[in-house]
Amino acid sequence: MKLNIEMEKVTWERWQAKECKEEENGKPKKLEKSKQMSISNIVNKYDIRALIVSETHLSGKEKPYINDNMTAFFDNRSEGLNKGGISIFLENSIARKTVIIGKSSSENEWIALKTSYFNIPVVIIGIYGTQSSKSKEILQKTWDEFWDFAERAREENMVIIGGDLNCALGRAFKLRENDKKMRKRDKE
């Protein structure tokens, strides 16, 4: 289904003229300026209505921003210098019929939305996965939490998962053909 909605085009000239949304301190809301402008132009050019962005590099309650036609549902890290973050951007008409139904409580960063915009309920899960350098026990716990949530959501909804899983798990978690070349510790 294609919607005819006028999308804002963010150009370098408009950005410099500060015609885009701003924070109170006068600085543009970020993702980084170039990343934000690139994403906005891609969203406009290809008529994208839903987009998952990992590594937003925002912290606390900073709200990611692409353009006025997209609403951000996000989860940022709140501690330390490492800023990961995950955001799902939805076109505003879809976002108005969408709620957050889950967020991670482990080292995987994920956020889950449910929208009633479509004929069947749709759950969108955006993930920025744990680095594979973590212990096998931590990885097992974080992935179990994630897949358990996705399985429960799948009982009554169409589920869409996207993002950066960030982890070559090999066959360690019984995922068929997940990674043909495995690291030594994944063979154990």
Side-chain angles (χ1 to χ4, degrees):
M1 169 170 69
K2 185 155 172 110
L3 301 173
N4 291 321
I5 297 172
E6 189 66 31
M7 300 293 279
E8 174 192 29
K9 184 171 183 179
V10 178
T11 64
W12 182 246
E13 292 76 27
R14 286 192 66 227
W15 186 267
Q16 286 182 319
K18 298 185 179 184
E19 293 175 8
C20 302
K21 288 198 171 192
E22 297 180 358
E23 298 272 354
E24 303 78 53
N25 64 5
K27 291 184 179 175
K29 288 186 177 180
K30 45 184 195 171
L31 307 171
E32 293 177 23
K33 275 194 274 187
S34 62
K35 186 176 188 178
Q36 183 268 335
M37 287 176 22
S38 295
I39 292 171
S40 181
N41 285 324
I42 291 167
V43 163
N44 294 335
K45 180 175 181 177
Y46 296 104
D47 199 26
I48 295 171
R49 304 292 174 196
L51 178 72
I52 298 170
V53 177
S54 60
E55 292 190 78
T56 57
H57 293 276
L58 301 175
S59 61
K61 300 210 182 273
E62 286 182 274
K63 186 174 183 176
Y65 175 79
I66 290 180
N67 62 39
D68 289 339
N69 299 304
M70 302 291 278
T71 299
F73 297 86
F74 62 97
D75 192 27
N76 298 327
R77 291 183 187 167
S78 57
E79 54 193 57
L81 297 175
N82 296 331
K83 294 181 180 181
I86 185 77
S87 183
I88 301 174
F89 292 93
L90 297 177
E91 188 275 322
N92 292 335
S93 65
I94 299 171
R96 282 190 284 279
K97 295 184 177 204
T98 302
V99 295
I100 296 173
I101 60 167
K103 291 184 178 183
S104 62
S105 60
S106 64
E107 296 206 20
N108 276 335
E109 295 176 65
W110 58 266
I111 185 167
L113 311 178
K114 183 173 182 174
T115 184
S116 62
Y117 181 83
F118 304 99
N119 291 336
I120 60 171
V122 175
V123 170
I124 304 170
I125 306 172
I127 182 167
Y128 178 46
T130 306
Q131 297 288 326
S132 58
S133 60
K134 298 288 182 180
S135 73
K136 187 172 178 179
E137 293 75 29
I138 289 173
L139 290 171
Q140 185 73 54
K141 178 182 172 241
T142 60
W143 287 107
D144 283 349
E145 175 201 54
F146 177 77
W147 292 118
D148 287 347
F149 181 88
E151 278 297 315
R152 285 191 311 275
R154 194 174 77 128
E155 291 171 7
E156 297 180 11
N157 310 281
M158 174 187 284
V159 175
I160 300 168
I161 298 171
D164 180 358
L165 300 182
N166 217 9
C167 199
L169 298 173
R171 294 186 202 116
F173 297 110
K174 299 176 180 57
L175 298 173
R176 290 182 297 160
E177 299 181 41
N178 178 252
D179 185 17
K180 293 184 191 272
K181 66 176 195 183
M182 294 184 295
R183 296 169 310 151
K184 182 180 177 183
R185 68 181 233 183
D186 290 333
K187 292 179 182 178
E188 301 167 355

Short mmCIF file of all heavy atoms in Angstrom, two decimals, residues 8-61:
data_model
loop_
_atom_site.label_atom_id
_atom_site.label_comp_id
_atom_site.label_asym_id
_atom_site.label_seq_id
_atom_site.Cartn_x
_atom_site.Cartn_y
_atom_site.Cartn_z
N GLU A 8 9.27 15.85 4.11
CA GLU A 8 10.21 16.96 4.18
C GLU A 8 11.55 16.54 3.62
O GLU A 8 12.04 15.46 3.92
CB GLU A 8 10.40 17.37 5.65
CG GLU A 8 11.47 18.41 5.84
CD GLU A 8 11.86 18.60 7.29
OE1 GLU A 8 11.76 17.66 8.07
OE2 GLU A 8 12.28 19.70 7.62
N LYS A 9 12.15 17.35 2.79
CA LYS A 9 13.49 17.08 2.29
C LYS A 9 14.45 17.99 3.04
O LYS A 9 14.31 19.20 3.05
CB LYS A 9 13.58 17.35 0.79
CG LYS A 9 14.94 16.98 0.25
CD LYS A 9 14.99 17.02 -1.24
CE LYS A 9 16.37 16.56 -1.66
NZ LYS A 9 16.53 16.52 -3.08
N VAL A 10 15.42 17.36 3.70
CA VAL A 10 16.40 18.13 4.46
C VAL A 10 17.62 18.31 3.57
O VAL A 10 18.28 17.37 3.21
CB VAL A 10 16.79 17.40 5.76
CG1 VAL A 10 17.85 18.19 6.51
CG2 VAL A 10 15.57 17.18 6.63
N THR A 11 17.88 19.54 3.19
CA THR A 11 19.05 19.84 2.37
C THR A 11 20.09 20.54 3.24
O THR A 11 19.78 21.06 4.32
CB THR A 11 18.67 20.76 1.20
OG1 THR A 11 18.22 22.01 1.75
CG2 THR A 11 17.59 20.14 0.33
N TRP A 12 21.31 20.56 2.75
CA TRP A 12 22.38 21.23 3.49
C TRP A 12 22.04 22.71 3.69
O TRP A 12 22.25 23.25 4.76
CB TRP A 12 23.70 21.07 2.74
CG TRP A 12 24.84 21.71 3.48
CD1 TRP A 12 25.57 22.78 3.10
CD2 TRP A 12 25.38 21.29 4.74
NE1 TRP A 12 26.52 23.07 4.04
CE2 TRP A 12 26.43 22.17 5.06
CE3 TRP A 12 25.08 20.28 5.63
CZ2 TRP A 12 27.18 22.06 6.23
CZ3 TRP A 12 25.83 20.17 6.79
CH2 TRP A 12 26.85 21.05 7.07
N GLU A 13 21.47 23.34 2.69
CA GLU A 13 21.12 24.76 2.79
C GLU A 13 20.06 24.98 3.88
O GLU A 13 20.16 25.90 4.68
CB GLU A 13 20.60 25.30 1.44
CG GLU A 13 21.63 25.37 0.35
CD GLU A 13 21.97 23.99 -0.26
OE1 GLU A 13 21.11 23.07 -0.25
OE2 GLU A 13 23.12 23.84 -0.72
N ARG A 14 19.02 24.14 3.89
CA ARG A 14 17.98 24.26 4.93
C ARG A 14 18.58 24.00 6.31
O ARG A 14 18.21 24.62 7.29
CB ARG A 14 16.84 23.28 4.67
CG ARG A 14 15.96 23.70 3.51
CD ARG A 14 14.68 22.90 3.46
NE ARG A 14 13.88 23.20 4.63
CZ ARG A 14 13.30 22.28 5.38
NH1 ARG A 14 13.38 21.02 5.08
NH2 ARG A 14 12.60 22.62 6.43
N TRP A 15 19.50 23.03 6.35
CA TRP A 15 20.12 22.70 7.64
C TRP A 15 20.90 23.90 8.15
O TRP A 15 20.78 24.29 9.31
CB TRP A 15 21.05 21.50 7.46
CG TRP A 15 21.61 21.01 8.75
CD1 TRP A 15 22.78 21.38 9.33
CD2 TRP A 15 20.99 20.11 9.65
NE1 TRP A 15 22.94 20.75 10.52
CE2 TRP A 15 21.86 19.96 10.75
CE3 TRP A 15 19.79 19.42 9.64
CZ2 TRP A 15 21.56 19.13 11.81
CZ3 TRP A 15 19.51 18.59 10.71
CH2 TRP A 15 20.39 18.46 11.78
N GLN A 16 21.70 24.51 7.27
CA GLN A 16 22.49 25.66 7.68
C GLN A 16 21.60 26.85 8.04
O GLN A 16 21.93 27.63 8.93
CB GLN A 16 23.46 26.06 6.57
CG GLN A 16 24.62 25.12 6.46
CD GLN A 16 25.60 25.53 5.39
OE1 GLN A 16 25.22 25.97 4.31
NE2 GLN A 16 26.88 25.38 5.70
N ALA A 17 20.47 26.99 7.36
CA ALA A 17 19.55 28.09 7.66
C ALA A 17 18.69 27.78 8.88
O ALA A 17 17.83 28.56 9.26
CB ALA A 17 18.65 28.35 6.45
N LYS A 18 18.92 26.64 9.49
CA LYS A 18 18.21 26.22 10.71
C LYS A 18 16.71 26.14 10.50
O LYS A 18 15.93 26.52 11.35
CB LYS A 18 18.56 27.13 11.87
CG LYS A 18 20.02 27.09 12.21
CD LYS A 18 20.34 27.88 13.44
CE LYS A 18 21.79 27.71 13.65
NZ LYS A 18 22.56 28.09 14.52
N GLU A 19 16.32 25.60 9.35
CA GLU A 19 14.90 25.40 9.08
C GLU A 19 14.42 24.05 9.57
O GLU A 19 13.26 23.70 9.38
CB GLU A 19 14.63 25.54 7.57
CG GLU A 19 14.85 26.93 7.07
CD GLU A 19 14.69 27.02 5.56
OE1 GLU A 19 14.26 26.05 4.93
OE2 GLU A 19 14.99 28.09 5.02
N CYS A 20 15.31 23.28 10.17
CA CYS A 20 14.94 21.99 10.71
C CYS A 20 14.77 22.13 12.22
O CYS A 20 15.20 23.12 12.80
CB CYS A 20 16.02 20.95 10.41
SG CYS A 20 16.32 20.77 8.65
N LYS A 21 14.16 21.14 12.86
CA LYS A 21 13.93 21.21 14.31
C LYS A 21 15.24 21.43 15.06
O LYS A 21 16.28 20.94 14.66
CB LYS A 21 13.27 19.93 14.80
CG LYS A 21 11.85 19.83 14.37
CD LYS A 21 11.15 18.82 15.23
CE LYS A 21 9.68 18.90 14.92
NZ LYS A 21 8.89 18.18 15.86
N GLU A 22 15.16 22.15 16.17
CA GLU A 22 16.35 22.44 16.97
C GLU A 22 16.12 22.13 18.43
O GLU A 22 14.99 22.08 18.90
CB GLU A 22 16.72 23.93 16.85
CG GLU A 22 17.08 24.36 15.45
CD GLU A 22 17.43 25.83 15.40
OE1 GLU A 22 17.37 26.51 16.43
OE2 GLU A 22 17.78 26.29 14.32
N GLU A 23 17.19 21.96 19.14
CA GLU A 23 17.16 21.85 20.59
C GLU A 23 17.05 23.26 21.17
O GLU A 23 17.21 24.24 20.46
CB GLU A 23 18.46 21.20 21.10
CG GLU A 23 18.70 19.81 20.61
CD GLU A 23 18.05 18.77 21.50
OE1 GLU A 23 17.52 19.12 22.57
OE2 GLU A 23 18.07 17.61 21.12
N GLU A 24 16.84 23.35 22.47
CA GLU A 24 16.77 24.67 23.12
C GLU A 24 18.06 25.45 22.99
O GLU A 24 18.08 26.66 22.90
CB GLU A 24 16.46 24.52 24.62
CG GLU A 24 15.22 23.78 24.97
CD GLU A 24 15.36 22.27 24.88
OE1 GLU A 24 16.29 21.70 25.48
OE2 GLU A 24 14.53 21.67 24.18
N ASN A 25 19.20 24.77 22.95
CA ASN A 25 20.49 25.44 22.89
C ASN A 25 20.87 25.88 21.47
O ASN A 25 21.96 26.35 21.24
CB ASN A 25 21.59 24.56 23.48
CG ASN A 25 21.80 23.29 22.69
OD1 ASN A 25 21.19 23.10 21.63
ND2 ASN A 25 22.65 22.42 23.20
N GLY A 26 19.96 25.71 20.51
CA GLY A 26 20.22 26.15 19.15
C GLY A 26 20.95 25.15 18.28
O GLY A 26 21.13 25.38 17.10
N LYS A 27 21.38 24.03 18.85
CA LYS A 27 22.07 23.02 18.05
C LYS A 27 21.04 22.08 17.46
O LYS A 27 20.04 21.75 18.10
CB LYS A 27 23.05 22.22 18.90
CG LYS A 27 24.23 23.05 19.36
CD LYS A 27 25.21 22.19 20.11
CE LYS A 27 26.40 23.03 20.56
NZ LYS A 27 27.31 22.26 21.39
N PRO A 28 21.26 21.61 16.22
CA PRO A 28 20.31 20.67 15.62
C PRO A 28 20.22 19.39 16.44
O PRO A 28 21.21 18.96 17.01
CB PRO A 28 20.92 20.38 14.25
CG PRO A 28 21.88 21.49 14.00
CD PRO A 28 22.34 21.96 15.35
N LYS A 29 19.02 18.83 16.51
CA LYS A 29 18.89 17.53 17.16
C LYS A 29 19.72 16.56 16.37
O LYS A 29 19.87 16.67 15.17
CB LYS A 29 17.43 17.08 17.16
CG LYS A 29 16.59 17.87 18.11
CD LYS A 29 15.21 17.31 18.18
CE LYS A 29 14.41 18.07 19.19
NZ LYS A 29 13.06 17.60 19.32
N LYS A 30 20.28 15.59 17.04
CA LYS A 30 21.15 14.71 16.31
C LYS A 30 20.73 13.29 16.49
O LYS A 30 20.08 12.96 17.45
CB LYS A 30 22.60 14.89 16.71
CG LYS A 30 22.89 14.97 18.20
CD LYS A 30 24.33 15.23 18.42
CE LYS A 30 24.70 14.95 19.86
NZ LYS A 30 26.08 14.98 20.11
N LEU A 31 20.90 12.55 15.58
CA LEU A 31 21.98 11.77 15.05
C LEU A 31 23.01 12.80 14.55
O LEU A 31 22.70 13.96 14.46
CB LEU A 31 21.46 10.92 13.90
CG LEU A 31 20.22 10.07 14.23
CD1 LEU A 31 19.66 9.47 12.99
CD2 LEU A 31 20.54 9.00 15.22
N GLU A 32 24.20 12.36 14.16
CA GLU A 32 25.15 13.29 13.58
C GLU A 32 24.51 13.97 12.38
O GLU A 32 23.72 13.37 11.68
CB GLU A 32 26.40 12.54 13.14
CG GLU A 32 27.19 11.96 14.27
CD GLU A 32 28.39 11.17 13.75
OE1 GLU A 32 28.84 11.42 12.61
OE2 GLU A 32 28.85 10.32 14.49
N LYS A 33 24.89 15.24 12.14
CA LYS A 33 24.27 16.00 11.05
C LYS A 33 24.28 15.26 9.73
O LYS A 33 23.26 15.13 9.07
CB LYS A 33 24.97 17.35 10.87
CG LYS A 33 24.46 18.43 11.78
CD LYS A 33 24.94 19.78 11.31
CE LYS A 33 26.30 20.09 11.89
NZ LYS A 33 26.74 21.45 11.59
N SER A 34 25.44 14.76 9.34
CA SER A 34 25.52 14.12 8.03
C SER A 34 24.71 12.83 7.99
O SER A 34 24.06 12.53 6.99
CB SER A 34 26.98 13.85 7.64
OG SER A 34 27.57 12.96 8.57
N LYS A 35 24.72 12.06 9.08
CA LYS A 35 23.94 10.82 9.14
C LYS A 35 22.45 11.16 9.08
O LYS A 35 21.70 10.52 8.36
CB LYS A 35 24.28 10.06 10.43
CG LYS A 35 23.65 8.70 10.54
CD LYS A 35 24.14 7.99 11.81
CE LYS A 35 23.69 6.58 11.89
NZ LYS A 35 24.21 5.89 13.08
N GLN A 36 22.03 12.16 9.82
CA GLN A 36 20.63 12.55 9.85
C GLN A 36 20.16 13.00 8.48
O GLN A 36 19.11 12.60 8.01
CB GLN A 36 20.41 13.65 10.90
CG GLN A 36 18.97 14.09 11.06
CD GLN A 36 18.62 15.26 10.17
OE1 GLN A 36 19.45 16.06 9.76
NE2 GLN A 36 17.35 15.37 9.86
N MET A 37 20.95 13.83 7.82
CA MET A 37 20.57 14.33 6.49
C MET A 37 20.54 13.19 5.48
O MET A 37 19.61 13.11 4.66
CB MET A 37 21.54 15.42 6.04
CG MET A 37 21.31 16.72 6.79
SD MET A 37 22.48 18.05 6.42
CE MET A 37 23.15 17.68 4.85
N SER A 38 21.51 12.31 5.53
CA SER A 38 21.54 11.18 4.60
C SER A 38 20.32 10.29 4.78
O SER A 38 19.66 9.91 3.81
CB SER A 38 22.80 10.34 4.80
OG SER A 38 23.95 11.08 4.48
N ILE A 39 20.01 9.98 6.03
CA ILE A 39 18.85 9.13 6.30
C ILE A 39 17.57 9.82 5.85
O ILE A 39 16.71 9.20 5.23
CB ILE A 39 18.79 8.75 7.80
CG1 ILE A 39 19.95 7.82 8.16
CG2 ILE A 39 17.45 8.09 8.14
CD1 ILE A 39 20.10 7.57 9.64
N SER A 40 17.43 11.09 6.14
CA SER A 40 16.23 11.82 5.74
C SER A 40 16.05 11.80 4.23
O SER A 40 14.95 11.56 3.72
CB SER A 40 16.29 13.27 6.24
OG SER A 40 15.12 13.95 5.85
N ASN A 41 17.12 12.02 3.50
CA ASN A 41 17.03 12.02 2.04
C ASN A 41 16.70 10.62 1.50
O ASN A 41 15.92 10.49 0.56
CB ASN A 41 18.31 12.56 1.41
CG ASN A 41 18.39 14.08 1.55
OD1 ASN A 41 17.38 14.77 1.47
ND2 ASN A 41 19.58 14.58 1.80
N ILE A 42 17.26 9.58 2.09
CA ILE A 42 16.94 8.21 1.67
C ILE A 42 15.48 7.89 1.97
O ILE A 42 14.78 7.33 1.14
CB ILE A 42 17.89 7.21 2.37
CG1 ILE A 42 19.31 7.37 1.81
CG2 ILE A 42 17.39 5.78 2.20
CD1 ILE A 42 20.38 6.67 2.62
N VAL A 43 15.01 8.26 3.17
CA VAL A 43 13.61 8.05 3.55
C VAL A 43 12.69 8.72 2.53
O VAL A 43 11.70 8.14 2.09
CB VAL A 43 13.35 8.58 4.98
CG1 VAL A 43 11.88 8.76 5.27
CG2 VAL A 43 13.99 7.64 6.00
N ASN A 44 13.01 9.94 2.16
CA ASN A 44 12.18 10.68 1.19
C ASN A 44 12.25 10.07 -0.20
O ASN A 44 11.23 9.85 -0.85
CB ASN A 44 12.61 12.15 1.13
CG ASN A 44 12.33 12.87 2.42
OD1 ASN A 44 11.46 12.49 3.18
ND2 ASN A 44 13.09 13.91 2.68
N LYS A 45 13.45 9.79 -0.67
CA LYS A 45 13.64 9.30 -2.04
C LYS A 45 12.95 7.96 -2.25
O LYS A 45 12.33 7.73 -3.28
CB LYS A 45 15.13 9.18 -2.36
CG LYS A 45 15.40 8.69 -3.77
CD LYS A 45 16.88 8.69 -4.08
CE LYS A 45 17.10 8.22 -5.52
NZ LYS A 45 18.50 8.27 -5.89
N TYR A 46 13.04 7.07 -1.26
CA TYR A 46 12.53 5.71 -1.43
C TYR A 46 11.19 5.49 -0.72
O TYR A 46 10.74 4.35 -0.60
CB TYR A 46 13.57 4.69 -0.99
CG TYR A 46 14.79 4.74 -1.88
CD1 TYR A 46 15.96 5.35 -1.44
CD2 TYR A 46 14.75 4.24 -3.17
CE1 TYR A 46 17.07 5.44 -2.27
CE2 TYR A 46 15.86 4.32 -4.00
CZ TYR A 46 17.01 4.91 -3.55
OH TYR A 46 18.10 5.00 -4.37
N ASP A 47 10.58 6.56 -0.23
CA ASP A 47 9.25 6.48 0.37
C ASP A 47 9.20 5.46 1.52
O ASP A 47 8.32 4.62 1.59
CB ASP A 47 8.22 6.13 -0.72
CG ASP A 47 6.81 6.47 -0.29
OD1 ASP A 47 6.63 7.36 0.55
OD2 ASP A 47 5.87 5.82 -0.81
N ILE A 48 10.19 5.54 2.40
CA ILE A 48 10.31 4.61 3.53
C ILE A 48 9.41 5.06 4.65
O ILE A 48 9.43 6.22 5.05
CB ILE A 48 11.78 4.51 3.98
CG1 ILE A 48 12.61 3.88 2.85
CG2 ILE A 48 11.91 3.73 5.28
CD1 ILE A 48 14.10 3.92 3.08
N ARG A 49 8.62 4.14 5.19
CA ARG A 49 7.65 4.45 6.26
C ARG A 49 8.09 3.94 7.62
O ARG A 49 7.57 4.37 8.64
CB ARG A 49 6.29 3.83 5.93
CG ARG A 49 5.74 4.25 4.61
CD ARG A 49 5.37 5.69 4.64
NE ARG A 49 4.97 6.10 3.30
CZ ARG A 49 4.87 7.33 2.93
NH1 ARG A 49 5.15 8.29 3.77
NH2 ARG A 49 4.51 7.64 1.72
N ALA A 50 9.02 2.98 7.64
CA ALA A 50 9.53 2.45 8.90
C ALA A 50 11.03 2.21 8.73
O ALA A 50 11.46 1.72 7.69
CB ALA A 50 8.83 1.16 9.28
N LEU A 51 11.80 2.59 9.76
CA LEU A 51 13.25 2.50 9.66
C LEU A 51 13.83 2.19 11.04
O LEU A 51 13.45 2.83 12.02
CB LEU A 51 13.80 3.84 9.15
CG LEU A 51 15.30 3.98 9.01
CD1 LEU A 51 15.79 3.16 7.84
CD2 LEU A 51 15.66 5.44 8.81
N ILE A 52 14.74 1.23 11.10
CA ILE A 52 15.42 0.89 12.35
C ILE A 52 16.85 1.40 12.25
O ILE A 52 17.55 1.11 11.27
CB ILE A 52 15.40 -0.63 12.59
CG1 ILE A 52 13.96 -1.12 12.72
CG2 ILE A 52 16.22 -0.98 13.83
CD1 ILE A 52 13.81 -2.62 12.71
N VAL A 53 17.29 2.17 13.26
CA VAL A 53 18.64 2.70 13.29
C VAL A 53 19.30 2.26 14.58
O VAL A 53 18.79 2.52 15.68
CB VAL A 53 18.65 4.25 13.20
CG1 VAL A 53 20.06 4.79 13.30
CG2 VAL A 53 17.98 4.72 11.91
N SER A 54 20.44 1.58 14.47
CA SER A 54 21.21 1.21 15.66
C SER A 54 22.40 2.14 15.79
O SER A 54 22.75 2.84 14.84
CB SER A 54 21.66 -0.26 15.59
OG SER A 54 22.48 -0.47 14.47
N GLU A 55 23.01 2.13 16.96
CA GLU A 55 24.13 3.01 17.26
C GLU A 55 23.78 4.48 17.01
O GLU A 55 24.47 5.18 16.27
CB GLU A 55 25.38 2.61 16.45
CG GLU A 55 25.95 1.28 16.88
CD GLU A 55 27.30 1.03 16.26
OE1 GLU A 55 28.29 1.61 16.75
OE2 GLU A 55 27.35 0.25 15.30
N THR A 56 22.71 4.94 17.64
CA THR A 56 22.31 6.33 17.49
C THR A 56 23.28 7.28 18.20
O THR A 56 23.29 8.47 17.93
CB THR A 56 20.89 6.55 18.05
OG1 THR A 56 20.85 6.14 19.41
CG2 THR A 56 19.86 5.79 17.22
N HIS A 57 24.06 6.76 19.12
CA HIS A 57 25.06 7.53 19.87
C HIS A 57 24.43 8.66 20.67
O HIS A 57 25.03 9.73 20.84
CB HIS A 57 26.18 8.04 18.96
CG HIS A 57 27.01 6.93 18.42
ND1 HIS A 57 28.05 6.38 19.11
CD2 HIS A 57 26.92 6.24 17.26
CE1 HIS A 57 28.58 5.40 18.41
NE2 HIS A 57 27.90 5.30 17.28
N LEU A 58 23.22 8.43 21.16
CA LEU A 58 22.56 9.39 22.03
C LEU A 58 22.49 8.78 23.42
O LEU A 58 22.60 7.58 23.60
CB LEU A 58 21.15 9.70 21.51
CG LEU A 58 21.10 10.29 20.09
CD1 LEU A 58 19.67 10.44 19.64
CD2 LEU A 58 21.81 11.62 20.04
N SER A 59 22.30 9.61 24.43
CA SER A 59 22.21 9.08 25.78
C SER A 59 21.02 9.70 26.50
O SER A 59 20.48 10.73 26.09
CB SER A 59 23.51 9.37 26.55
OG SER A 59 23.72 10.75 26.65
N GLY A 60 20.63 9.03 27.58
CA GLY A 60 19.54 9.53 28.39
C GLY A 60 18.26 9.69 27.60
O GLY A 60 17.82 8.81 26.89
N LYS A 61 17.66 10.89 27.70
CA LYS A 61 16.38 11.15 27.05
C LYS A 61 16.51 11.94 25.74
O LYS A 61 15.53 12.44 25.22
CB LYS A 61 15.46 11.89 28.02
CG LYS A 61 15.18 11.08 29.28
CD LYS A 61 13.83 11.40 29.84
CE LYS A 61 13.58 10.62 31.11
NZ LYS A 61 13.04 9.32 30.92
#
